[in-house]
Amino acid sequence: MANLNLGILAHVDAGKTTLTERILYQTGVIAAPGSVDKGTTQTDSRDLERARGITIWSAVASFRLGELTVNLIDTPGHGDFIAEVARALDALDAVVLVVSAVEGVQPQTRRLARAIRAAGLPLIVFINKIDRLGARGEPLLDDIREKLGLRVVALNRPDGLGDRAASVTPVDRTAPAWRAALTDLLAEASERVIEEYERTGGEPSAAFLDAELRRQVANREVSPAFFGSAITGAGVDALLAGVEEWLPPAVGDADAPASGTVFKIARRPGGEKVVYVRLFDGRLAVRQHVSLHRHSSWGEPEEIDERITAIDRFSGGAAIQTGEIAAGEIAALHGLREARIGDRIGAGGGAARELPLAFPPPALESIVRPLDRSQITRLREALEQLAEQDPLISLRQRNESGEISVRLYGDVQKEVLTDTLSRDYGLGVWFGPSRTICVERLVGSGEALEVIFEGGNPYYATLGFRVEPAAPGSGIRYERQLGSLPLAFYRATEETVYDALQQGLAGWEVIDCVVTLFQPGFNSILSTAGDFRKLVPLVLLEAIRQAGTVVCEPIDALELEVPEDTYGTICGALIQARATIEDTRVDGATCHLTVTIPTVELRGIEQQLPGLTRGEGGWSSHFAGYRPVPAPAPTRPRVGPNPLNRAHYLAEVARG
């Protein structure tokens, strides 16, 4: 039996979870569709999701379409939980992108469309809420083509737009006008269509057009579109038929070595770890040993051997135990205690996809403290478990005060963490104000050297480091000159280099540089790996001090389409938000602006734009790198011994 792992993605409030409920109802999985407003949905199953009426964690349900088994993944729509979407993309074969017929293409819709394109996934567009006042038909299709860059073909049409009784009618695929329009669309991406058109005297057969449409959908060249209403059910049967007819099922070789990916981790109330995997090739069985592959923080491959103690396969709205899963399936594995999100199962071959980063890491961080100071250890353990489920929530702790900081996408995520820590862990916490996470870039080059037994070097090690700036976005490149250190000393040195780069001269992470190790030396009797670990920060930070750094803040590229008569007001707001206007173009009554704006200012501008443009503006944004912060540059409190203060560092390290 064929499998299809299907994601439902949308801007918040486009009706994504309501559509999921309607699909599960119409395929017989649930007896009645749940309500987001009433907190009775199947996939938003946690108390916190039901209380807030939003999807926070991705959820899996399964249903049958003829001979096709569909694993449906409902993902969050709110921007603060975009990391859940990014991880789900790694497990999917195709996507249904939900667009509201009333609100149309929204900022998050554009971000999702870019991410789907980057993941190389075929998609169907479901235009929801045709029963709502203000719903649009053909003009919205034009917006989708223009703003999302999708070549869509509508396979039904809405009747009675804006009325509660709105319905849909299938297009007549035998009508000459419709076949001619489809032929033109398909010919844009295929010479085969042109050749067939000429061979048949302008009358390619219905079978040929269907086969070509199916091929172009699979190749992400064309996207079918369906109108409907998730709340009334109109058009949902047509959508399900379209999923079965047009989307390609999962492919994989069940007889090949096991190859898959870990895309989600959850914990049961008792603390048991549950690992969600997508299997691309091979089979997995209970009691089978599997190898998990990942890269360490310093880039070296790691392999962990684990044993599966139980497997849950998704059937309807529940997870049922099974003895084995095969290529193309999604399942929950038990017993993988060391697994992390992003781990690859098997040796990394097969069909497993290495996806580009669809969304940037969180740009904000906030201090979090327990209301009861004696619970700091419990808070740390709870946050470590939550970070395991969401790796982008990285933790940072200050040794002296015991404060912990977490990375966040926004204040809603902060509120959800507060509720989660209270509900699931019994911890009351206080979050401080969010602040932007900056980085440091080298201004020039620098080098430093500490020689064993010389110049007050208390460690039995010799190390020299040269640091140089590298191109933006190139990351860290670590090089070492030939020497005769034992392998363990080289490894300890390299690991500590990456750790030390997490805090530059102003306390921010140092990025985009080349670090070269030179003139390493050791004493064959006295030296240990610990000597090298302790010496690295002193030498490396001295080299960075000589090079100098500049603090840079994250920025986004923002593209706006606004009424021409609001241009002056919009420019004033952008300048006030420290944005730089890169390009302006007027097209009739619409003005198109391209700007770069500090990420910290973006949310405020997005909140102002509907009012400033009378609700007629449109915009999209994406991460665009970093740029220097105007003086005075912000600093970040250091964690641990400070190598920039030699006496302090040596004293703190000596105290352990």
Side-chain angles (χ1 to χ4, degrees), residues 365-384:
E365 68 177 355
S366 178
I367 294 292
V368 57
R369 300 191 191 110
L371 298 181
D372 179 351
R373 288 282 190 169
S374 67
Q375 293 184 322
I376 186 68
T377 301
R378 283 190 58 210
L379 174 60
R380 176 79 187 191
E381 292 171 351
L383 287 171
E384 285 175 347

Side-chain angles (χ1 to χ4, degrees), residues 220-282:
R220 290 88 62 194
E221 294 167 339
V222 170
S223 298
F226 295 89
F227 288 90
S229 168
I231 198 73
T232 68
V236 175
D237 282 339
L239 170 66
L240 292 172
V243 167
E244 186 178 12
E245 182 174 9
W246 302 113
L247 293 180
V251 295
D253 183 356
D255 297 321
S259 172
T261 184
V262 175
F263 71 93
K264 176 181 172 68
I265 287 176
R267 286 190 179 269
R268 291 186 168 177
E272 182 197 1
K273 188 173 184 177
V274 182
V275 178
Y276 290 70
V277 302
R278 160 66 193 270
L279 194 61
F280 294 102
D281 286 318

Side-chain angles (χ1 to χ4, degrees), residues 24 28-30 42 60-64 70-71 313-319:
L24 296 180
V29 174
I30 55 179
Q42 171 79 22
V60 183
S62 180
F63 61 88
R64 293 276 297 276
V70 180
N71 291 314
R313 174 187 278 120
F314 297 97
S315 177

Side-chain angles (χ1 to χ4, degrees), residues 35-182:
S35 166
V36 173
D37 293 336
K38 296 178 181 178
T40 57
T41 56
Q42 171 79 22
T43 51
D44 286 352
S45 57
R46 302 197 196 182
D47 292 342
L48 187 54
E49 293 178 305
R50 289 176 169 174
R52 289 179 169 268
I54 60 173
T55 302
I56 298 172
W57 297 278
S58 58
V60 183
S62 180
F63 61 88
R64 293 276 297 276
L65 291 176
E67 295 301 309
L68 182 68
T69 297
V70 180
N71 291 314
L72 189 67
I73 301 182
D74 182 24
T75 61
H78 196 287
D80 280 12
F81 309 104
I82 201 66
E84 282 285 310
V85 179
R87 289 189 286 274
L89 289 173
D90 202 11
L92 299 178
D93 300 305
V95 168
V96 173
L97 179 64
V98 183
V99 179
S100 168
V102 180
E103 288 83 9
V105 175
Q106 297 171 279
Q108 185 77 342
T109 319
R110 301 194 196 207
R111 296 187 187 105
L112 292 170
R114 280 199 301 269
I116 295 166
R117 189 177 298 114
L121 296 173
L123 70 93
I124 284 176
V125 177
F126 183 71
I127 300 172
N128 191 27
K129 302 185 181 181
I130 62 169
D131 58 315
R132 291 269 302 276
L133 188 65
R136 294 178 293 153
E138 189 62 39
L140 180 53
L141 288 175
D142 291 338
D143 275 357
I144 290 171
R145 294 181 181 108
E146 178 185 353
K147 296 177 180 178
L148 300 183
L150 296 177
R151 298 172 59 243
V152 294
V153 53
L155 294 177
N156 68 2
R157 66 172 184 270
D159 298 316
L161 275 172
D163 189 277
R164 184 68 174 178
S167 60
V168 297
T169 303
V171 298
D172 182 359
R173 286 158 57 181
T174 65
W178 192 85
R179 291 179 59 184
L182 178 62

